[in-house]
Amino acid sequence: MKISELKVRQGNVETEGEITKKEEPKTFNKFGKEGKVCNATLTDDSGEIKLTLWNEQVDQFAVGDKIKITNGYVNEFQGEKQLTSGRFGKIEKIS
C-alpha cells in the first residue's frame, strides 16, 4: 500500500518506505513505567507520513533505513495523519 492511500483510523496497514527524518525522542511515564516515543517521517514515491516509534523502536531505526510495517494503524494527532505499528503490528528493516 502506498503512503498516499493511507486513511485515518485505518488498521491492518502494510506499507514500506524510508525514514527521512527523526525527531528527538521524548520520555514519558505511564502506569509507573517509563517509556520513550519519537516521531519520524516515512517517505515513499507517493508521499510521506509521520511515523510514531515507541520504546525499543526508537533506537532500532535511523534516518536512511528502509522499513516495512505490517499490521500498522493510522490515527490522527493535532490534525496530522500518523502511522504506528500499534500493539499488534511490527516494523522491520528491509535493507
Side-chain angles (χ1 to χ4, degrees):
M1 186 174 279
K2 295 286 185 193
I3 288 173
S4 62
E5 298 169 355
L6 299 178
K7 294 176 179 43
V8 174
R9 287 187 292 287
Q10 183 174 2
N12 198 16
V13 170
E14 189 165 313
T15 191
E16 295 178 7
E18 181 179 341
I19 296 175
T20 53
K21 254 189 263 171
K22 196 170 163 188
E23 296 175 11
E24 278 299 307
K26 298 180 183 97
T27 55
F28 63 90
N29 204 316
K30 190 170 183 181
F31 307 123
K33 283 176 131 164
E34 192 157 288
K36 249 194 310 194
V37 63
C38 174
N39 287 322
T41 303
L42 186 68
T43 306
D44 71 7
D45 57 14
S46 74
E48 63 181 34
I49 191 168
K50 189 168 275 188
L51 173 68
T52 308
L53 301 171
W54 296 96
N55 300 317
E56 66 279 350
Q57 294 173 344
V58 172
D59 300 317
Q60 278 178 323
F61 304 105
V63 171
D65 285 350
K66 292 197 178 10
I67 62 166
K68 177 179 181 179
I69 295 173
T70 310
N71 197 17
Y73 181 77
V74 180
N75 56 20
E76 191 174 13
F77 183 69
Q78 295 177 337
E80 196 172 18
K81 275 194 291 192
Q82 293 190 334
L83 177 62
T84 181
S85 62
R87 225 185 321 233
F88 306 109
K90 70 176 186 180
I91 303 177
E92 56 196 339
K93 274 188 212 182
I94 52 177
S95 66

